[in-house]
């Protein structure tokens, strides 16, 4: 491709664009370079705020497929519907020099994208977030013919792509060892709107949450100038209250591949410790769980039945620009992500690191590329380990100096985490240029 002229790039996301931060970041970075971007996907939630500010990004929404009750027939029908819908949008939008497609899912996005690129002579770039075949195996079993077909499609089209990006060294090595596919690691990093949240920002944001957004939990009933976590000095500068609770956040898609009972049972241990005599001096705890998904109501009923006295759980839904500020107010984040392949890395941890919040993360093969145990967070393998971490981390909080020192040390380590622009410019920009 000619280095001097700006390119037309299409991005295919067979998912909700608003919940595809990595592909959204690709679009924003391409637009910053002056390339014209047509991003195709579902419009189930608000688009990133940066899309609205860029004249170079155009979005095109897929139409959701009407559902058929029979599972196999529904899958076939959805594949046909989506293939026609996707190819139609590719055909009627501007001719592309390159097409970047997210994988998974492989069917039909990889096939349709490859056919389109062959017809018009565009470059095909696949961004490997995980394997579609390993995700499918969770629901239909590894020996399913559908899993075998998906694996064959990924292998064949991965080899025929002009370039391949991937999210971890583990996937890079696996792609090459298993299928001979060469790829470039592009680590996820948060966008430019993520960063450390100052005390002033925290205080102002929590007041807005409490007063305007309806989250009464963040209001101080005795002082309208204070919040649950912060108060003001006589000179109007904010400070952290000495009687504040521990504040932890977790994000989830509420699906079967993320066992949220691990966190709930660890919190039950925390509550039981209070009821059993409180040998350790533990603070009250506020737990915020963000996200939407099919099992949300199931877990909310479970939480309600537990009748905790010292733990409060909230499940806020936040706007795109509010999310970094909200998670940046937390003392620590929790990730229960378990990879179907063991090779991908959770974006929720990247977001937390972007606002300098350390994490407690469920262990799997590739996690060590992101979380360094005892450095920027801690790794656990079961509810007992998570329970112990929560009690050890917050014993005597917030007056225990060693606890605060440990939390601050981990936050300090995250100052060098980096940002998306730096990584993208060094790895992806030369390919598009």
């Amino acid at each position: 491709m000619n280095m001097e002229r700006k390119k037309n790039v299409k991005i295919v996301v067979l998912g909700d664009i608003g919940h595809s931060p990595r592909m959204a970041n690709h679009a924003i970075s391409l637009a910053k370079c002056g390339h014209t971007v047509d991003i195709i996907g579902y419009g189930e939630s608000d688009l990133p705020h940066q899309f609205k500010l860029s004249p170079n990004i155009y979005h095109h929404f897929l139409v959701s497929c009407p559902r058929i009750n029979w599972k196999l027939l529904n899958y076939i029908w959805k594949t046909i519907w989506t293939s026609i819908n996707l190819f139609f949008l590719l055909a009627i939008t501007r001719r592309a020099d390159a097409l970047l497609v997210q994988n998974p899912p492989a069917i039909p996005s990889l096939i349709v994208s490859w056919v389109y690129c062959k017809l018009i002579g565009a470059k095909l770039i696949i961004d490997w977030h995980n394997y579609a075949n390993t995700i499918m195996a969770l629901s239909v079993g590894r020996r399913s013919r559908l899993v075998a077909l998906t694996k064959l499609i990924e292998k064949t089209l991965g080899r025929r792509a002009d370039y391949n990006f991937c999210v971890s060294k583990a996937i890079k090595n696996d792609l090459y060892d298993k299928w001979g596919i060469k790829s470039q690691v592009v680590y996820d990093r948060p966008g430019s709107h993520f960063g450390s949240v100052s005390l002033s920002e925290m205080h102002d944001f929590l007041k807005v949450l409490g007063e305007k957004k309806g989250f009464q939990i963040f209001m101080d009933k005795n002082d309208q100038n204070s919040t649950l976590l912060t108060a003001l000095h006589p000179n109007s500068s904010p400070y952290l209250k000495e009687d504040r609770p521990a504040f932890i956040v977790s994000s989830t898609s509420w699906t079967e591949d993320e066992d949220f009972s691990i966190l709930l049972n660890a919190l039950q241990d925390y509550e039981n410790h209070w009821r059993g005599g409180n040998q350790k001096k533990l603070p009250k705890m506020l737990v915020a769980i963000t996200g939407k998904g099919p099992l949300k109501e199931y877990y909310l009923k479970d939480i309600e039945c537990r009748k905790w006295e010292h733990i409060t759980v909230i499940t806020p839904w936040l706007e795109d620009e509010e999310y970094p500020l909200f998670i940046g107010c937390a003392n620590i984040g929790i990730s229960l992500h378990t990879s179907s392949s063991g090779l991908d890395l959770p974006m929720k941890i990247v977001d937390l690191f972007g606002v300098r919040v350390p994490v407690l993360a469920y262990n799997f093969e590739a996690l060590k590329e992101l979380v360094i145990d005892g450095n920027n967070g801690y790794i656990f393998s079961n509810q007992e380990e998570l329970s112990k971490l929560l009690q050890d981390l917050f014993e005597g909080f917030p007056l225990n100096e060693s606890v605060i020192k440990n939390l601050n040390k981990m936050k300090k380590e995250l100052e060098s985490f980096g940002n998306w622009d730096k990584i993208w410019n060094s790895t992806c920009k030369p390919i598009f240029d």
Side-chain angles (χ1 to χ4, degrees):
M1 291 190 289
N2 186 349
M3 283 186 64
E4 295 182 358
R5 77 176 177 88
K6 298 304 180 182
K7 312 301 189 302
N8 296 326
V9 182
K10 289 184 179 177
I11 297 178
V12 172
V13 182
L14 222 58
D16 178 27
I17 297 174
H19 287 115
S20 303
R22 179 178 173 91
M23 303 310 284
N25 284 341
H26 275 301
I28 293 164
S29 294
L30 284 162
K32 285 180 180 178
C33 293
H35 303 307
T36 301
V37 180
D38 289 286
I39 185 166
I40 298 172
Y42 292 101
E44 297 168 357
S45 62
D46 289 340
L47 294 171
H49 184 62
Q50 294 95 321
F51 278 24
K52 303 167 187 175
L53 303 178
S54 174
N56 291 344
I57 300 177
Y58 300 83
H59 59 271
H60 313 276
F61 293 145
L62 294 162
V63 179
S64 296
C65 178
R67 183 172 179 80
I68 298 174
N69 289 330
W70 189 26
K71 188 174 182 179
L72 180 59
L73 186 59
N74 183 69
Y75 182 80
I76 296 171
W77 165 238
K78 185 177 181 180
T79 301
I80 295 170
W81 173 286
T82 307
S83 298
I84 295 171
N85 192 186
L86 176 56
F87 197 84
F88 174 75
L89 288 178
L90 288 172
I92 66 170
T93 49
R94 77 196 83 237
R95 185 187 181 98
D97 297 297
L99 185 152
L100 174 64
V101 56
Q102 169 185 296
N103 188 63
I107 301 174
S109 52
L110 290 189
I111 301 171
V112 175
S113 297
W114 177 75
V115 170
Y116 172 81
C117 288
K118 279 297 178 184
L119 288 174
I120 70 163
K123 300 293 185 183
L124 175 63
I125 306 170
I126 301 175
D127 193 359
W128 298 80
H129 298 196
N130 200 347
Y131 291 125
N133 70 84
T134 60
I135 292 176
M136 187 175 291
L138 294 175
S139 57
V140 300
R142 292 185 178 183
R143 296 184 180 181
S144 168
R145 292 182 181 180
L146 199 53
V147 171
L149 174 62
T150 304
K151 186 182 293 186
L152 178 63
I153 290 170
E154 289 184 294
K155 173 184 176 181
T156 303
L157 297 185
R159 287 174 170 177
R160 294 185 179 183
D162 295 282
Y163 302 98
N164 289 277
F165 299 150
C166 60
V167 299
S168 70
K169 289 180 182 176
I171 288 186
K172 174 186 172 72
N173 295 336
D174 194 66
L175 280 169
Y176 186 77
D177 293 342
K178 186 165 59 178
W179 294 333
I181 296 172
K182 293 182 179 180
S183 58
Q184 171 70 51
V185 178
V186 184
Y187 279 122
D188 272 315
R189 290 295 184 268
S192 57
H193 58 302
F194 281 76
S196 296
V197 176
S198 68
L199 265 178
S200 295
E201 289 174 320
M202 180 188 298
H203 180 77
D204 293 342
F205 178 67
L206 292 178
K207 280 185 68 65
V208 170
L209 273 185
E211 294 173 356
K212 298 180 181 179
K213 297 288 183 175
F215 290 100
Q216 302 292 324
I217 186 70
F218 290 106
M219 298 181 68
D220 187 326
K221 298 176 183 178
N222 300 316
D223 183 357
Q224 63 178 1
N225 292 318
S226 297
T227 73
L228 180 69
L229 306 180
T230 60
L232 294 177
H233 287 295
N235 64 358
S236 296
S237 62
Y239 64 93
L240 291 169
K241 295 163 72 170
E242 293 187 349
D243 61 347
R244 68 188 185 276
F247 181 29
I248 67 174
V249 296
S250 184
S251 178
T252 179
S253 54
W254 301 104
T255 52
E256 293 178 353
D257 61 340
E258 196 169 44
D259 187 0
F260 224 74
S261 63
I262 292 174
L263 173 58
L264 299 188
N265 290 334
L267 292 175
Q268 186 65 58
D269 289 343
Y270 191 96
E271 175 74 14
N272 292 344
H273 193 85
W274 271 81
R275 295 177 181 176
N278 196 21
Q279 296 95 340
K280 290 184 178 179
K281 187 173 179 57
L282 298 174
K284 289 187 176 182
M285 184 174 285
L286 175 62
V287 182
I289 306 171
T290 66
K292 292 181 178 179
L295 294 179
K296 182 174 180 178
E297 291 304 316
Y298 168 81
Y299 281 114
L300 289 183
K301 288 179 181 178
D302 185 350
I303 293 168
E304 187 177 350
C305 291
R306 293 176 186 262
K307 300 187 184 305
W308 289 325
E309 297 176 13
H310 304 93
I311 299 171
T312 302
V313 177
I314 59 173
T315 55
W317 182 252
L318 302 158
E319 300 296 331
D320 182 54
E321 61 271 19
E322 294 173 335
Y323 181 66
L325 284 169
F326 184 80
I327 63 174
C329 295
N331 301 115
I332 207 154
I334 294 181
S335 170
L336 294 165
H337 177 87
T338 54
S339 170
S340 62
S341 64
L343 305 175
D344 67 316
L345 295 170
M347 190 67 193
K348 66 192 73 178
I349 295 181
V350 173
D351 290 342
L352 287 161
F353 282 1
V355 292
R356 312 300 184 255
V357 173
V359 300
L360 309 180
Y362 192 91
N363 194 22
F364 62 91
E365 183 179 344
L367 185 65
K368 60 182 179 293
E369 292 185 42
L370 187 59
V371 181
I372 303 171
D373 194 37
N375 181 283
N376 55 16
Y378 290 95
I379 295 171
F380 62 90
S381 299
N382 51 54
Q383 75 178 54
E384 289 79 17
E385 292 180 6
L386 176 57
S387 175
K388 186 176 187 305
L389 282 170
L390 287 173
Q391 293 182 42
D392 290 347
L393 275 173
F394 291 110
E395 183 176 5
F397 179 91
L399 301 178
N400 187 330
E401 290 186 8
S402 63
V403 166
I404 299 299
K405 185 177 180 180
N406 184 37
L407 291 171
N408 288 338
K409 177 183 74 71
M410 290 190 287
K411 286 177 177 287
K412 185 74 174 177
E413 292 292 336
L414 292 170
E415 290 180 2
S416 59
F417 186 60
N419 60 58
W420 171 262
D421 287 344
K422 183 177 180 181
I423 286 181
W424 193 90
N425 286 334
S426 64
T427 55
C428 301
K429 186 176 184 298
I431 290 175
F432 286 103
D433 286 342

